[in-house]
Amino acid sequence: MKHVISVGDFDLPFIDGVLASAESYRMTWEKGEPLPSVSDQGVVRLLFGEPSTRTAGSFEEAARLLGLPHVLTSGAEGTSLVKGETLGATARMFCGYNGSALVMRTKVEGAPRWVAEMAARRGMQLCVLNAGDGANEHPSQTLLDLYTIRRHLGRLNGFKIGFVGDFKYSRTVHSLIRALRLLEGVEIVLVSAPEAQLQWWYTRGMYNVTVASDLETLAGCHLVYATRVQRERFPSEYEYHRVAGRFTIDQAALDMLGSKVLVMHPLPIGDNEIHPSVLGDPRVIIDAQAANGVPIRMALLNEALHSRCAETPLEVIGPEIEDVRSGSADEAIARKQLAQQRFLPISNGTVLDHLPVGFGRRIQSVLGLDPNAHYVGLDQGLRSNGQGGKKDTLRLEDVFLNARELSAIGILVPQVTINEIRDGVLTKRRVATVREITGIGSCPNPACVTRCDAEAALYPHFHVNGEGREVLACHYCEQHFDRREVLVD
């Protein structure tokens, strides 16, 4: 393991290993025995662009206990980021100051993954730990949550957990739900206001999830995980106040939940979601939960730094292109002319056929083609032989599309036929499979690093979600969008 960026990168062996390491640190620490030092592994840089008490404090304490030199930069206003410096430039600077680990908290979603991949492109020995990136993820919090659950329940399977609060903008919920997908026999109950419901993709394919809007649905849960409404992430005060203060775990709620329930919260408490009068109740384990951040972050820093090395840059998976048939280009052109089709052939290059009407110009725009260039020809509203209706055809003289361009076209127009004419041979192809696209498109999320950072904007990257090609997930901020939102004119 090198980076700690997203729970989506975790598997059960990794989680078990981190929890075991954290338990070892805790036992050694509680016995008063000396802790193993990793002080020869460089400097830990903590860049916290958003306020933090527990995460920043526990990472600092973890570094201190491990004998690691560490420097905390608190607040983006204390850096050149406020002057427009890119995150990549900031990370490169820290690495140049013997920074081995960069612990990042930022409102920019996807920033930790971008920095990690930028470092790999530059051959830098830098491990990146995501301490919370906007409303996206908080993976180290999830690990301490799982550690807390196992310490109190004695297991990580066969339990029922209820969530209550803001799920739309809560990065702790996003990360923990992703981790719960890996566990066996876990039932999930989600209680929130309609305006703060969890996005569909976090629970897609899960059959053990109940969605509700009242606290009574939480009865029977072994654990209840409360979260504050993320005021700073709502688009307006009006929308925030529509959601704030709807749910409170008070004495009546605890009585309803029963004597064996355990109440967790990532903190801070912001909207009275846990009433002050019950904070001393032994069922409310939020202080023990927060304290678990130190051994967990010790384990993460130790493992990350001991495996420190320059990573191989990300390898993009290209599309699978299927050859339908090939033959003489002259014969194909002759058939077109005999049929008196309104089709102007090319002698060398690419013809995109069977485009829906209007998509010819859209493809031009997505590929960045100049519609007035001499090598571009567009036929609109042609009769579609054998299929009925109309179609567009885009002709590109002396142009052959690369994998990146073919992936984008295969996403936007899955039925496209790609005709390539080379050396007198016409080859008809289709895009059989597309798993991801890169270098084309734009993430619609205004908080995404590709929208907030000039350097990251050069590297848009999306994954196809599921069997179809309708939904694309941003590689960085992990939000999901309709393909037409990403591949815009």
Side-chain angles (χ1 to χ4, degrees), residues 364-445:
Q364 285 179 330
S365 178
V366 168
L367 299 184
L369 299 171
D370 179 359
N372 299 315
H374 69 279
Y375 58 84
V376 177
L378 174 62
D379 301 305
Q380 295 181 292
L382 295 177
R383 180 169 56 87
S384 182
N385 290 340
Q387 298 183 21
K390 302 288 185 178
K391 67 177 180 179
D392 284 0
T393 298
L394 183 62
R395 295 172 283 108
L396 305 173
E397 186 77 42
D398 295 323
V399 173
F400 297 96
L401 302 176
N402 59 34
R404 173 177 60 90
E405 294 164 332
L406 290 171
S407 290
I409 293 170
I411 289 289
L412 196 57
V413 191
Q415 72 271 33
V416 67
T417 300
I418 304 154
N419 301 277
E420 290 186 356
I421 299 178
R422 296 176 187 260
D423 302 322
V425 176
L426 169 64
T427 302
K428 286 185 174 292
R429 295 177 169 172
R430 58 181 293 270
V431 182
T433 304
V434 184
R435 297 183 184 177
E436 56 190 2
I437 59 173
T438 184
I440 290 180
S442 176
C443 181
N445 176 12

Side-chain angles (χ1 to χ4, degrees), residues 80-158:
S80 291
L81 291 170
V82 297
K83 302 175 183 178
E85 180 173 77
T86 66
L87 285 162
T90 300
R92 290 191 292 271
M93 178 270 296
F94 281 148
C95 191
Y97 294 163
N98 196 32
S100 301
L102 177 60
V103 182
M104 296 180 63
R105 168 166 290 190
T106 171
K107 66 180 180 181
V108 180
E109 296 169 18
R113 190 175 297 282
W114 153 247
V115 169
E117 292 181 1
M118 177 279 305
R121 290 187 183 96
R122 301 294 183 93
M124 296 161 54
Q125 292 191 340
L126 177 71
C127 59
V128 178
L129 294 95
N130 181 4
D133 59 326
N136 182 32
E137 285 223 37
H138 197 346
S140 67
Q141 176 70 42
T142 286
L143 289 166
L144 77 85
D145 291 339
L146 294 176
Y147 183 58
T148 302
I149 292 170
R150 194 170 74 173
R151 281 184 59 82
H152 283 81
L153 291 186
R155 63 187 187 278
L156 277 181
N157 57 56

